[in-house]
Amino acid sequence: MTAEPERRRGRRPGGADTRAALLTAARAVFTESGYDGATVRAIARRAGVDPAMVNHWFGGKEALFAEAVLHLPFNPKALIAEILKGDREVLGERIIRTFLTNWDAQDGGVFAAMIRSVSAHEQVANALREFFVHQVFGQIVSAMHDDGSALLRANLVASQMIGLGMVRYVARFDPASTADVETLVAAIGPTIQRYLTGPIG
Amino acid sequence: MTAEPERRRGRRPGGADTRAALLTAARAVFTESGYDGATVRAIARRAGVDPAMVNHWFGGKEALFAEAVLHLPFNPKALIAEILKGDREVLGERIIRTFLTNWDAQDGGVFAAMIRSVSAHEQVANALREFFVHQVFGQIVSAMHDDGSALLRANLVASQMIGLGMVRYVARFDPASTADVETLVAAIGPTIQRYLTGPIG
């Protein structure tokens, strides 16, 4: 792969200051109101910019939350679409591979920062919960189940992904912190696959 | 079950003050030296008491660590012996049931406190890692494998247990935080079982 030579964003009304102001405002509003309670309108008002700037700079509320609060280095909506595109039989492996590759690229610092925020601030925990369960894993699972098990399945997937992040990046267990991605994909992929598509009761 | 009418500890040299002094000293020494580096002798010296008091009050270094640093409300060594006693085919279910029952009894506060310590203090993370991997899950797994997979298996078990604690007690996902213990035993037991005894590569 070669690096993307140029990022095309079209015109940039408001400039980079607008983007920074939106990130700061988003952190405050998400913390005060939780993910579901925070509106794009309230965030834009706090930043003193037009609400259309949220879509312009971030593509939507999910991506703004992901960057402002979770410090995720990727757009979760795009990631989910990408994950759901491939073979459903190895979805579990693909999820592990995608998240580890993304987190590894930042040496796990982003994951560790997220956990510190969650542990220290009840409000961030609320926002994270809504985001992970309803937006990220919830979207993946509800694409596959309508028997009322979708939320529990999303919780189970989140539990294993968060626990993996904890031992790899925060507590830095050995060999979880040094194992190559494919070793963990082989070991944990079937767990995620069963939580998504297998029997859980 | 009826409550235990009286706890017999034999004579109590030094009294409850000795016990409290040992807990305070243990927190300091484990934090400075890590689990493996901390000695019973150093902890006793810091507390200004005889090293025999550690065995007298706690039964050993593991249990002192569990209470002083992890704030676990149970003795891990006794717990492991109990877990290993039963049918190996449902070991995974038994581990989930045992930990959840113990953590639930304190409304998860103990687990949450442990995670806050780990996230905030690198040294506590080191001690926790040594303790969980080498003492708790390591002992369970090494009783069953001598093919070099024991440490990775112990890491995998720890990842799922820690992640389960995170969604149930810290981030309080729904329904993971409200589900009854047996629902989670049924859903996650097979994961732990495979990490302990199944194929992971």
Side-chain angles (χ1 to χ4, degrees):
Chain A
M1 283 194 296
T2 57
E4 196 184 5
E6 192 191 0
R7 302 188 71 171
R8 297 182 65 87
R9 290 184 184 276
R11 69 196 181 87
R12 307 195 175 203
D17 285 353
T18 296
R19 194 172 193 286
L22 278 170
L23 284 172
T24 303
R27 266 176 222 118
V29 175
F30 281 124
T31 301
E32 287 165 19
S33 311
Y35 182 81
D36 289 340
T39 63
V40 164
R41 187 165 296 276
I43 293 167
R45 192 184 313 123
R46 173 86 60 123
V49 305
D50 190 277
M53 290 299 99
V54 169
N55 273 326
H56 176 78
W57 282 104
F58 299 94
K61 179 172 147 181
E62 297 93 335
L64 177 55
F65 179 81
E67 183 163 345
V69 180
L70 303 183
H71 307 283
L72 293 185
F74 46 84
N75 178 329
K77 212 164 189 172
L79 197 70
I80 291 165
E82 187 62 34
I83 285 174
L84 281 174
K85 234 188 266 168
D87 182 358
R88 292 279 165 100
E89 298 300 306
V90 290
L91 197 49
E93 295 186 6
R94 209 152 58 241
I95 287 173
I96 301 276
R97 188 178 294 116
T98 303
F99 274 84
L100 285 184
T101 304
N102 272 287
W103 281 329
D104 278 6
Q106 305 224 354
D107 205 24
V110 165
F111 183 89
M114 182 176 83
I115 294 298
R116 263 192 299 274
S117 302
V118 170
S119 307
H121 309 291
E122 178 77 13
Q123 297 287 12
V124 175
N126 292 342
L128 178 79
R129 180 182 54 216
E130 292 159 12
F131 179 77
F132 257 97
V133 174
H134 296 284
Q135 304 299 317
V136 181
F137 297 124
Q139 282 202 21
I140 293 175
V141 178
S142 63
M144 293 182 288
H145 297 276
D146 56 2
D147 63 354
S149 73
L151 266 184
L152 178 57
R153 289 176 185 278
N155 275 221
L156 294 169
V157 172
S159 80
Q160 179 60 88
M161 294 306 303
I162 291 171
L164 175 57
M166 287 294 296
V167 299
R168 188 168 174 88
Y169 306 119
V170 180
R172 293 191 182 270
F173 283 12
D174 177 42
S177 60
T178 53
D180 62 36
V181 169
E182 290 307 315
T183 298
L184 297 172
V185 166
I188 303 177
T191 297
I192 303 296
Q193 188 69 37
R194 185 170 63 80
Y195 291 161
L196 290 172
T197 62
I200 59 164
Chain B
M1 285 192 294
T2 57
E4 197 183 3
E6 191 191 0
R7 302 188 71 170
R8 297 182 65 86
R9 290 186 185 276
R11 71 196 179 86
R12 308 196 175 200
D17 285 355
T18 297
R19 194 172 192 285
L22 279 170
L23 284 172
T24 304
R27 267 177 221 117
V29 175
F30 281 124
T31 302
E32 288 166 18
S33 311
Y35 181 80
D36 289 340
T39 64
V40 164
R41 188 165 295 276
I43 293 167
R45 191 185 312 122
R46 170 89 58 128
V49 305
D50 191 277
M53 291 299 99
V54 170
N55 273 327
H56 176 78
W57 283 105
F58 300 94
K61 178 172 147 180
E62 298 92 335
L64 177 55
F65 179 81
E67 184 163 344
V69 181
L70 302 184
H71 308 283
L72 293 185
F74 47 82
N75 178 327
K77 212 165 189 171
L79 197 72
I80 291 164
E82 188 63 34
I83 286 173
L84 281 174
K85 236 188 265 167
D87 182 358
R88 292 280 166 98
E89 297 302 306
V90 289
L91 198 49
E93 295 185 5
R94 209 151 59 241
I95 288 174
I96 301 277
R97 188 178 294 117
T98 303
F99 274 84
L100 285 184
T101 303
N102 273 286
W103 282 329
D104 277 6
Q106 306 224 355
D107 204 24
V110 165
F111 183 88
M114 182 177 83
I115 294 299
R116 265 192 297 275
S117 301
V118 170
S119 306
H121 309 290
E122 177 77 12
Q123 296 287 12
V124 176
N126 291 342
L128 178 79
R129 180 182 53 216
E130 292 161 12
F131 179 77
F132 256 97
V133 174
H134 296 284
Q135 303 300 315
V136 182
F137 298 123
Q139 282 202 21
I140 294 175
V141 177
S142 63
M144 293 182 286
H145 297 274
D146 56 0
D147 62 354
S149 73
L151 267 184
L152 178 57
R153 289 176 185 277
N155 276 219
L156 294 169
V157 172
S159 80
Q160 178 61 87
M161 294 305 304
I162 292 171
L164 174 57
M166 288 294 297
V167 299
R168 187 168 176 87
Y169 306 118
V170 180
R172 293 190 183 270
F173 283 12
D174 178 44
S177 59
T178 54
D180 62 37
V181 169
E182 290 307 315
T183 298
L184 297 172
V185 165
I188 303 178
T191 298
I192 303 297
Q193 190 68 38
R194 184 171 63 81
Y195 291 161
L196 290 172
T197 63
I200 58 163

